[in-house]
Structure formats: structure tokens, C-alpha cells
């Protein structure tokens, strides 16, 4: 079966999305996020960072980030600019996140998103307000409201989400979430509900089950999806398995996909990870109702006093002839360098092209004046 040029482009785009998701799955967060988290430890701090992205067949972009914290209030800003026809960068979007710790039990967060119109004017596009109230026992109530601007610039509520988390025992936690959407008449209609159960066992095994309920149109609820996840930790090693089940045409739940991850870490701090994804849907092949291994992501992360490097590769079936088995379709390399004046990060993505060779499709460079994280010797690392 031969794919057209446009279909191959779609496949590549999907591949890059999966690639990004896989990085987060492998190590819990992207390299840049880990570095930032390690550096945001002081009570009052500020930093700025600039990243430039150059992607094949795409307009170059530049992202500027800043973080400022003082007392119980912090503000994070992210501004994205794209290269304009005159050769200079022009604003495309901006996000501002303000977080205030009201007291020992309440945190409020407001996220404002701006866009630019054809006249170069900045317009408020969306506002998300969240309030989280917690108790000493571990219970929490969250209310998140999202509003968007209409044609007149007035904010209209389009979604509200409420979540109620309860600790039913020291090792068991339940979360019930309800999502409401605007009904077009000034009101809100229930769109979906989720019920999530987390249980930690004595053998360092965490079990999670999340059930999504959808309205059936007759005033009743039906199961739309069930995710069951198990995380088993053994020292510095971790095994993760997630199963996703969805109803078939007859309403019976059947397994739709399965993801299995194996992460190991040496005494020197080197991490290696393999994530296998099984699915009943394989691009280019007719479904037979069975699970097939159609993606493997492997990654290796190394650290030293000067920084860290993560190399990852993605194996997928050949979209033109999936019966040939998997082949390396993409590679990504993250390099983080620590310096006296801050950090520098580079992300390079390669994708297999029509000639069978891996070609560079995007390069991200990021410079920050954040101080490097405190170095840890193997004996200092948390067990």
C-alpha cells in the first residue's frame, strides 16, 4: 500500500507529536522542565529564558519566558514570536500565569492568553481561573473556569470543571471530576464525568483506575473509557503499565491499547528507558481486534557536572509497508549545559525522509539566566 505525499506529511506530524509525548512518559517530564524545577527552589527569585525554533518547512519562531516570585505570589510569562515578511520577529501569542498562595489551604491561579489581530493589536483571547482548597487530611476541592472573548471582546464562560479529592484511607485517594460546557443559551451543560481511584500498596506499587462517563442523550451515563495504570518501583528502577479500554459497537468494554515502560538507573545516575505501545489500530493494516506492538521508544539520559544529555529514538512500522516491521523513524537529542551565567539547552529532531535517511526537521535552542541546579553525588541522590 503506497502513501501519498500529503499522507506521509500527516504521518510525520503525528510522529512528532508522539515523540514529544514519549519524552514526558519516559522520564516524567521534559529535560527543560526538570532543569527548571531544580532551579526554582528559592522563596524569592526571577529569571528569563529565550528559545529559538527552526523547523523544516515551517516559519522560524522565538519564545521568551520569564519567572518572578515574591512572597506568596509568582508570575510566569511566555511570549511566542514568528518571523515576519520583513525579516523581523512579530508577536503571535502570549500567556501569563499568576499564582497566589492565599493562605495555608487555598491557592488561586489565573492564566491569561493573548493573541494579535491583523492590525498588530494585542487582544485578550482566553482566561482560566482556578482555585484549589485543601485540608490537613489530604482532601482537596478544585474549581477551574475557562472563558473566551467574543466578537466584542467580552469574556464568556465556555467551560467549568470541578474536582473533589478525598483521602478515604492513608493509602487510598478518590477524585471525582465533572466538566460542564456552555450550552449556547447562557447556561452550562454537563459534558463528562471522571472517577479516579489511586491506591498505594505496601510493596511500592501504585495502582490507578480512571473511568470516564459520557451522557447517552437519554439522561443516563455510559462508560466512554477506562484507564488502568500500575507503577511498580524497585529502588531506582520502575515498571509502568497502562491499559486503555473502550466500548465496542455492542457497548462491551475491550482493551484498545496498552503501554509498558521499563526505566532503570545506575549508581552513577545514568537512566535508560524503553516504552512499548500496543494498539488494535496499526496504520496501513486492517484491524483484527488484537493488540499489536506498533511503537517502541528508547531513551538514555546521562548527567555530569557540566550538564546532561538525553538521546531518544522512536521505532514505528513503515507507513508504506507496515508488514516489514518497525524501523527507526525519528531521533531526538537533548543537550543541557550548565554555566556560571545560566543554562543552555538544545533539542534536535531527526525524522526519516523519503530517501530512507534521517534528516534534521527541527532545532530548538534555549538560553536562560537561571542558576544551574545544585550538583548531587550518587550518594546524595534520594533513594
Amino acid at each position: 500500500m503506497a502513501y501519498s505525499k500529503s499522507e506521509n506529511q500527516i504521518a510525520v506530524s503525528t510522529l512528532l507529536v508522539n515523540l514529544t509525548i514519549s519524552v514526558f512518559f519516559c522520564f516524567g517530564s521534559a529535560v527543560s522542565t526538570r532543569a527548571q524545577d531544580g532551579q526554582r527552589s528559592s522563596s524569592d527569585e526571577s529569571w528569563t529564558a529565550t528559545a529559538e525554533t527552526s523547523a523544516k518547512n515551517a516559519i522560524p519562531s522565538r519564545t521568551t519566558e520569564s519567572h518572578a516570585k515574591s512572597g506568596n505570589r509568582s508570575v510566569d510569562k511566555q511570549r511566542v514570536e514568528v518571523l515576519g515578511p520583513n525579516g523581523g520577529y512579530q508577536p503571535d501569542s502570549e500567556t501569563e500565569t499568576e499564582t497566589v498562595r492565599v493562605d495555608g489551604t487555598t491557592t488561586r491561579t489565573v492564566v491569561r492568553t493573548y493573541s494579535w489581530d491583523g492590525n498588530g493589536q494585542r487582544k485578550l483571547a482566553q482566561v482560566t481561573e482556578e482555585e484549589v482548597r485543601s485540608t490537613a487530611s489530604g482532601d482537596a476541592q478544585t474549581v477551574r473556569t475557562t472563558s473566551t472573548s467574543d466578537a466584542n471582546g467580552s469574556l464568556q464562560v465556555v467551560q467549568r470543571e470541578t474536582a473533589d479529592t478525598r483521602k478515604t484511607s492513608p493509602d487510598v485517594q478518590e477524585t471525582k471530576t465533572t466538566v460542564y460546557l456552555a450550552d449556547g443559551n447562557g447556561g452550562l451543560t454537563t459534558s463528562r464525568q471522571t472517577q479516579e481511584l489511586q491506591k498505594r500498596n505496601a510493596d511500592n506499587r501504585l495502582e490507578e483506575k480512571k473511568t470516564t462517563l459520557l451522557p447517552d442523550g437519554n439522561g443516563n451515563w455510559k462508560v466512554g473509557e477506562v484507564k488502568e495504570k500500575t507503577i511498580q518501583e524497585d529502588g531506582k528502577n520502575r515498571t509502568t503499565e497502562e491499559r486503555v479500554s473502550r466500548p465496542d459497537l455492542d457497548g462491551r468494554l475491550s482493551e484498545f491499547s496498552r503501554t509498558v515502560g521499563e526505566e532503570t538507573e545506575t549508581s552513577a545516575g545514568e537512566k535508560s528507558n524503553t516504552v512499548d505501545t500496543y494498539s488494535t489500530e496499526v496504520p496501513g493494516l486492517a484491524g483484527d481486534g488484537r493488540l499489536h506492538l506498533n511503537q517502541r521508544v528508547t531513551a538514555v539520559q546521562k548527567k555530569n557536572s557540566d550538564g546532561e544529555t538525553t538521546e531518544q529514538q522512536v521505532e514505528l512500522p513503515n507507513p508504506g509497508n507496515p508488514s516489514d516491521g518497525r524501523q527507526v523513524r525519528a531521533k531526538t537529542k537533548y543537550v543541557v549545559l550548565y554555566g556560571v551565567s545560566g543554562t543552555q539547552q538544545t533539542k534536535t529532531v531527526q525524522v526519516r525522509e523519503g530517501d530512507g535517511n534521517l534528516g534534521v526537521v527541527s532545532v530548538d535552542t534555549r538560553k536562560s539566566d537561571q542558576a544551574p541546579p545544585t550538583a548531587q553525588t550518587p550518594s546524595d541522590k534520594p533513594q
Side-chain angles (χ1 to χ4, degrees), residues 72 100-107 133:
N72 64 347
V100 178
R101 183 74 172 178
V102 179
D103 51 40
T105 62
T106 305
T107 300
R133 296 180 180 271

Side-chain angles (χ1 to χ4, degrees), residues 14-200:
T14 304
L15 172 63
L16 293 177
V17 172
N18 290 336
L19 183 64
T20 304
I21 294 173
S22 299
V23 174
F24 278 79
F25 190 93
C26 286
F27 294 112
S29 63
V31 173
S32 60
T33 304
R34 286 195 307 272
Q36 293 169 24
D37 289 343
Q39 295 157 19
R40 298 180 186 176
S41 57
S42 62
S43 58
D44 296 277
E45 62 178 12
S46 63
W47 55 260
T48 59
T50 301
E52 294 187 357
T53 301
S54 176
K56 190 174 182 179
N57 299 324
I59 299 175
S61 64
R62 179 172 64 192
T63 302
T64 303
E65 298 174 296
S66 67
H67 172 79
K69 184 172 188 233
S70 179
N72 64 347
R73 179 178 180 270
S74 65
V75 177
D76 291 273
K77 295 182 179 180
Q78 183 186 77
R79 183 177 176 126
V80 179
E81 300 170 291
V82 295
L83 198 64
N86 60 355
Y89 280 101
Q90 58 188 30
D92 181 68
S93 64
E94 184 173 290
T95 301
E96 179 183 282
T97 302
E98 179 183 15
T99 304
V100 178
R101 183 74 172 178
V102 179
D103 51 40
T105 62
T106 305
T107 300
R108 290 177 184 157
T109 302
V110 180
V111 181
R112 300 177 180 90
T113 303
Y114 300 88
S115 60
W116 272 257
D117 61 20
N119 298 319
Q121 299 297 313
R122 190 181 79 156
K123 303 291 185 180
L124 180 61
Q126 180 174 291
V127 176
T128 299
E129 299 174 273
E130 178 184 277
E131 181 173 283
V132 180
R133 296 180 180 271
S134 60
T135 65
S137 63
D139 296 348
Q141 291 81 41
T142 302
V143 178
R144 183 183 300 111
T145 303
T146 300
S147 304
T148 60
S149 295
D150 59 18
N152 299 318
S154 301
L155 289 174
Q156 304 292 331
V157 175
V158 295
Q159 179 174 305
R160 179 168 292 139
E161 180 178 327
T162 62
D164 187 9
T165 299
R166 302 292 181 190
K167 294 277 290 188
T168 58
S169 73
D171 299 320
V172 179
Q173 175 177 293
E174 293 181 349
T175 300
K176 294 183 179 180
T177 303
T178 304
V179 178
Y180 305 87
L181 297 179
D183 59 11
N185 298 314
L188 295 171
T189 301
T190 306
S191 171
R192 67 179 182 275
Q193 294 181 345
T194 61
Q195 300 172 354
E196 186 170 1
L197 179 67
Q198 294 183 345
K199 180 180 180 181
R200 184 171 293 277

Side-chain angles (χ1 to χ4, degrees), residues 184-245:
N185 298 314
L188 295 171
T189 301
T190 306
S191 171
R192 67 179 182 275
Q193 294 181 345
T194 61
Q195 300 172 354
E196 186 170 1
L197 179 67
Q198 294 183 345
K199 180 180 180 181
R200 184 171 293 277
N201 298 290
D203 59 351
N204 292 323
R205 188 174 77 257
L206 177 65
E207 297 178 351
E208 301 177 357
K209 183 177 181 179
K210 183 177 181 179
T211 303
T212 299
L213 302 174
L214 303 174
D216 63 1
N218 297 316
N220 300 314
W221 291 93
K222 63 179 180 180
V223 176
E225 184 178 84
V226 176
K227 289 184 179 180
E228 297 177 281
K229 186 175 183 179
T230 302
I231 302 175
Q232 178 70 60
E233 295 183 347
D234 182 11
K236 295 182 179 181
N237 302 327
R238 172 185 293 189
T239 301
T240 304
E241 181 172 343
E242 181 179 270
R243 299 170 182 260
V244 179
S245 299

